Amino acid sequence: MMGGSSGILWMGLFVLVLWSSSHGSVEGEEYMKYKDPIIPVSVRVKDLLSRMSLEEKIGQMVQIDRSVATPAVMKEYYIGSVLSGGGSTPLPQASAADWVNMVNDFQKGSLSTRLGIPMIYGIDAVHGHNNVFNATIFPHNIGLGATRDPELLRRIGDATALEVRATGIPYVFAPCIAVCRDPRWGRCYESYSEDPKIVQEMTDIILGLQGEIPNGSQKGVPYIGGKDKVAACAKHFVGDGGTTKGINENNTLIDTHGLLSIHMPAYYDSIIKGVSTVMISYSSWNGKKMHANREMITDFLKDKLKFKGFVISDWEGIDRITTPPHSNYTYSVEASILAGIDMESVMIPWKYTEFIDDLTYLVKNKFIPMNRIDDAVERILLVKFTLGLFENPLADLSLVNEVGKQEHRNLAREAVRKTLVLLKNGKSETDPLIPLTKKVPKILVAGSHADNLGYQCGGWTINWQGFSGNNYTRGTTILAAINSTVDKDTKVVYLENPDSQFVKSNNFNYAIVVVGEPPYTETAGDGQNLTMLDPGPSAINNVCGFIKCVVVIISGRPIVIEPYMSSIDALVAAWLPGTEGQGVTDVLFGDYEFTGKLPRTWFRTVDQLPINFGDSHYDPLFPFGFGLTTHQSIVSRSTSSGFLGRPRSYTSMIFIFVLIGLYFQGKLLTGELRY
């Protein structure tokens, strides 16, 4: 039996051996703090940074498109991030498992590097997981702004995060918190409202995407609450919704007070809510490109607002610092990095070696100081550690059934109901058309958007510019929703553009005309006329001129409608509702009330643009915040018999007459009404 002191010595040596083995590394006996999940993230970041070469640091600052990524490229160039641009998928109609396998293949390349730093995969999930076949497509932001419901936004963020994580992806380029001040802008539907207060409230989607930030958390520090959450991205910093004439990527002419009071407030909220990344805008502020604006990115966003996450460029955003783009690329790299951009979504997706070579040259020749590189890499590593990528770099298949699941579709359907804005209901207040009656002999459905899922979803859906038709993802068109909602004995007739003679000769009880804009994204959506897609006007004229009709507008913004108002009985702004068309019929047929309010001003003519609430000469067709409601007391019309829901019995008619009599008696007694 060994002595007491000898036993203690051997026990100490035994503990030391155990500690060494548990903290060992690929570099012999050295303990690597950055690999220890118990160590504070800030310490892990500093430790890893101290071990990295310039080549490894610059690699972390690069984001490339999946189309040029391979495990070998990830390993050779130490690539820090990969993304899917709009429509960039592993294969057509790829399953969640296909996505997981692709992401993991790239990740294995990153993990095989000397330090094993995981890459971060990003994707546009701007209204649900919109690149992915069968995913739930939620309404675009303009519709969500009509809900005035931040709690709904949290739930949408939560569902979107689950569907994104189900495909092995931990990072989304959302939300867009632009304040669109001119509907001629092709990205206006990506903006929640013309009102910065509403946009601020809608940043609660970040709490759904990333998780509720704990009480006492340091402001400005990214927070991601587990393996079912994703890193979010507030974009596009800053002023992208205020460009002259709404021209995409153009110049925002506004003084500092205007920029800070209109376009900046949602960034304050996003940072307080722990947003992980901020994407820079293509646009300029008073002539200076945002991608080269050190005063706004470094001095304001990082230093004044204390944002600690990383700043990412937009797709090839640094190329566009010069005119023409890419005409002096070395200068653009220098200007953007010195301005404070940390990850060049270089997006030079197909030119990553040029970026790496130029940045290496600029650092080695002291045009860019090493502390600027270290700042960028620290921020990128902070987000990666916060995401848990070092502990769980590879995705599994445990969440694949989250994509497009019914619970999420039900949530999207609820969101659609709340986005709808009732602009007109009957040619007089005493003769409302909505709620529509479910049980009538025959209904006409017309319009280019009634049976087109792609039009219903808009841009940023499956493909960058969206699609037309019903074959590219799963969902319910408005026509299908009508067919499943009306009484089984009601005949529904659909013609995209019926002629007036057909309408007059078929004894329809009423018509639903669904018209609007085609899908578009970014510059392709810029427009000066804002008219509906043909044959929308003729469909309205041919139908609404002869029978009672409700017109449903599917659009990413207000469009020209005033010339048709006199013939329209009821008018609904449905924005871009996404895959769940039954949310539209839920409200049209009175199962739920209209609650949506206009998130932006509806102009009379395009000559008024830009027009926003508070302007000195404010004379809109429908003002900001406008929205009629329907009352639950008349929902019974949706199931009653007869033309447009006459009362079921004489009892209800007597009740109505009694109320009218009491009303006039009260007027007589108070002297307000005289013979």
Side-chain angles (χ1 to χ4, degrees):
M1 184 175 177
M2 67 182 74
S5 61
S6 176
I8 292 170
L9 176 63
W10 280 105
M11 182 63 71
L13 288 171
F14 178 68
V15 170
L16 180 63
V17 168
L18 282 178
W19 184 88
S20 298
S21 63
S22 66
H23 291 76
S25 74
V26 293
E27 295 187 345
E29 295 302 312
E30 183 184 4
Y31 167 47
M32 291 187 170
K33 290 182 181 177
Y34 80 90
K35 291 190 173 183
D36 190 341
I38 299 174
I39 300 292
V41 166
S42 59
V43 177
R44 298 175 77 185
V45 169
K46 294 288 187 186
D47 179 67
L48 178 51
L49 191 70
S50 70
R51 301 172 187 274
M52 295 173 70
S53 66
L54 176 61
E55 187 179 12
E56 288 166 329
K57 290 176 180 178
I58 288 175
Q60 285 300 302
M61 298 171 68
V62 179
Q63 182 177 70
I64 63 175
D65 187 77
R66 56 152 292 282
S67 60
V68 295
T70 66
V73 165
M74 302 302 294
K75 180 177 181 180
E76 181 178 356
Y77 295 98
Y78 308 102
I79 300 297
S81 182
V82 181
L83 85 155
S84 280
S88 183
T89 62
L91 48 94
Q93 298 190 357
S95 67
D98 293 327
W99 282 92
V100 168
N101 292 333
M102 177 195 70
V103 174
N104 281 349
D105 281 346
F106 298 148
Q107 190 68 282
K108 288 170 185 175
S110 296
L111 298 176
S112 67
T113 56
R114 180 178 73 93
L115 295 170
I117 303 172
M119 65 88 185
I120 181 172
Y121 198 104
I123 195 165
D124 289 289
V126 297
H127 63 142
H129 201 4
N130 51 263
N131 255 16
V132 174
F133 179 72
N134 274 345
T136 308
I137 306 300
F138 290 91
H140 266 299
N141 287 357
I142 189 171
L144 297 179
T147 71
R148 310 293 204 271
D149 190 345
E151 190 272 335
L152 173 67
L153 270 287
R154 291 190 195 200
R155 290 187 284 139
I156 290 172
D158 183 67
T160 300
L162 277 170
E163 297 206 13
V164 171
R165 277 291 200 169
T167 56
I169 297 172
Y171 177 27
V172 298
F173 306 124
C176 176
I177 54 174
V179 181
C180 175
R181 303 292 285 178
D182 192 325
R184 291 173 291 188
W185 186 35
R187 305 192 79 153
C188 199
Y189 64 78
E190 297 183 56
S191 167
Y192 294 109
S193 179
E194 71 187 40
D195 181 0
K197 292 186 178 66
I198 291 175
V199 180
Q200 277 183 281
E201 292 173 355
M202 297 299 108
T203 59
D204 271 15
I205 195 171
I206 293 167
L207 302 176
L209 291 167
Q210 296 193 158
E212 291 277 350
I213 189 165
N215 290 332
S217 293
Q218 185 179 346
K219 298 296 185 273
V221 177
Y223 175 78
I224 300 114
K227 293 201 296 183
D228 60 351
K229 297 297 181 182
V230 295
C233 179
K235 66 183 188 182
H236 308 84
F237 188 85
V238 59
D240 51 338
T243 57
T244 302
K245 295 184 179 179
I247 298 171
N248 192 41
E249 303 181 21
N250 209 321
N251 190 25
T252 297
L253 288 167
I254 194 170
D255 61 18
T256 302
H257 173 75
L259 186 79
L260 297 184
S261 62
I262 294 174
H263 299 285
M264 192 67 75
Y267 287 96
Y268 309 149
D269 287 59
S270 298
I271 291 166
I272 289 169
K273 290 168 185 174
V275 74
S276 297
T277 72
V278 170
M279 183 181 289
I280 303 303
S281 174
Y282 288 129
S283 59
S284 303
W285 176 38
N286 295 337
K288 183 162 187 176
K289 290 280 189 179
M290 282 305 308
H291 273 76
N293 195 324
R294 178 181 171 84
E295 290 76 18
M296 293 308 301
I297 299 172
T298 295
D299 298 346
F300 194 84
L301 177 63
K302 290 183 173 181
D303 294 345
K304 188 162 187 176
L305 298 187
K306 308 299 183 187
F307 174 61
K308 301 300 182 186
F310 70 79
V311 175
I312 188 168
S313 75
D314 206 335
W315 177 277
E316 295 188 326
I318 60 171
D319 297 56
R320 304 183 199 189
I321 290 174
T322 57
T323 305
H326 202 74
S327 57
N328 188 345
Y329 193 63
T330 304
Y331 163 75
S332 295
V333 172
E334 179 183 8
S336 62
I337 298 297
L338 289 177
I341 293 177
D342 305 310
M343 182 177 283
E344 299 285 4
S345 194
V346 211
M347 286 191 190
I348 45 158
W350 300 284
K351 301 187 290 288
Y352 56 90
T353 56
E354 181 183 8
F355 173 80
I356 291 169
D357 292 343
D358 280 358
L359 185 51
T360 303
Y361 165 83
L362 290 164
V363 175
K364 286 185 174 179
N365 288 278
K366 299 185 170 25
F367 292 102
I368 295 176
M370 196 64 209
N371 63 3
R372 172 72 272 271
I373 302 300
D374 287 346
D375 171 62
V377 178
E378 279 187 32
R379 290 167 177 275
I380 293 164
L381 294 178
L382 172 63
V383 173
K384 290 185 176 184
F385 278 115
T386 305
L387 263 171
L389 286 177
F390 283 81
E391 285 67 60
N392 298 288
L394 297 173
D396 57 36
L397 302 178
S398 61
L399 295 175
V400 293
N401 291 330
E402 295 289 335
V403 174
K405 74 175 184 179
Q406 193 58 48
E407 181 183 343
H408 295 166
R409 293 185 181 276
N410 293 343
L411 174 61
R413 182 173 173 177
E414 175 191 347
V416 173
R417 292 196 293 264
K418 293 178 175 179
T419 65
L420 302 180
V421 181
L422 182 59
L423 298 174
K424 182 178 181 181
N425 191 16
K427 292 183 178 176
S428 70
E429 292 183 7
T430 58
D431 186 25
L433 178 58
I434 295 173
L436 299 172
T437 309
K438 294 179 181 177
K439 187 173 184 179
V440 292
K442 190 158 55 171
I443 298 169
L444 173 64
V445 179
S448 51
H449 290 57
D451 191 32
N452 193 314
L453 192 62
Y455 285 5
Q456 192 172 299
C457 291
W460 290 116
T461 309
I462 303 301
N463 299 308
W464 178 43
Q465 294 291 336
F467 65 91
S468 176
N470 299 329
N471 298 324
Y472 291 88
T473 196
R474 183 166 64 94
T476 304
T477 68
I478 293 171
L479 176 64
I482 292 168
N483 278 313
S484 66
T485 301
V486 298
D487 186 85
K488 60 182 177 60
D489 295 324
T490 296
K491 183 177 182 181
V492 177
V493 177
Y494 171 64
L495 279 178
E496 182 177 339
N497 187 27
D499 61 49
S500 56
Q501 189 57 44
F502 175 84
V503 174
K504 287 189 288 185
S505 61
N506 268 276
N507 296 317
F508 293 109
N509 296 96
Y510 59 81
I512 302 171
V513 182
V514 191
V515 294
E517 295 186 297
Y520 54 80
T521 301
E522 299 186 42
T523 304
D526 285 359
Q528 298 301 305
N529 298 321
L530 303 190
T531 53
M532 69 183 73
L533 181 69
D534 285 329
S538 62
I540 292 174
N541 290 330
N542 291 345
V543 175
C544 298
F546 302 97
I547 57 174
K548 285 185 178 288
C549 77
V550 53
V551 172
V552 178
I553 299 178
I554 305 294
S555 68
R557 53 198 166 190
I559 59 175
V560 174
I561 195 66
E562 188 178 43
Y564 318 105
M565 287 299 296
S566 61
S567 63
I568 293 171
D569 291 275
L571 179 65
V572 175
W575 314 113
L576 297 169
T579 51
E580 306 313 301
Q582 270 195 289
V584 176
T585 53
D586 283 343
V587 183
L588 283 181
F589 288 93
D591 295 319
Y592 293 83
E593 294 186 45
F594 279 90
T595 57
K597 305 297 179 186
L598 283 182
R600 59 176 314 101
T601 301
W602 202 294
F603 59 86
R604 293 183 183 277
T605 71
V606 292
D607 295 335
Q608 293 177 298
L609 299 175
I611 180 173
N612 293 283
F613 179 72
D615 291 352
S616 56
H617 301 289
Y618 191 69
D619 180 32
L621 181 62
F622 300 107
F624 167 80
F626 181 81
L628 301 172
T629 58
T630 47
H631 299 291
Q632 209 63 41
S633 60
I634 57 173
V635 167
S636 60
R637 297 174 67 228
S638 63
T639 54
S640 64
S641 60
F643 175 68
L644 293 178
R646 292 190 179 94
R648 282 181 181 275
S649 65
Y650 288 106
T651 304
S652 56
M653 291 180 69
I654 292 167
F655 179 69
I656 290 168
F657 286 129
V658 167
L659 287 177
I660 293 170
L662 289 171
Y663 172 80
F664 283 108
Q665 183 183 27
K667 294 289 186 184
L668 284 167
L669 290 172
T670 59
E672 293 179 40
L673 185 68
R674 300 181 187 279
Y675 289 111

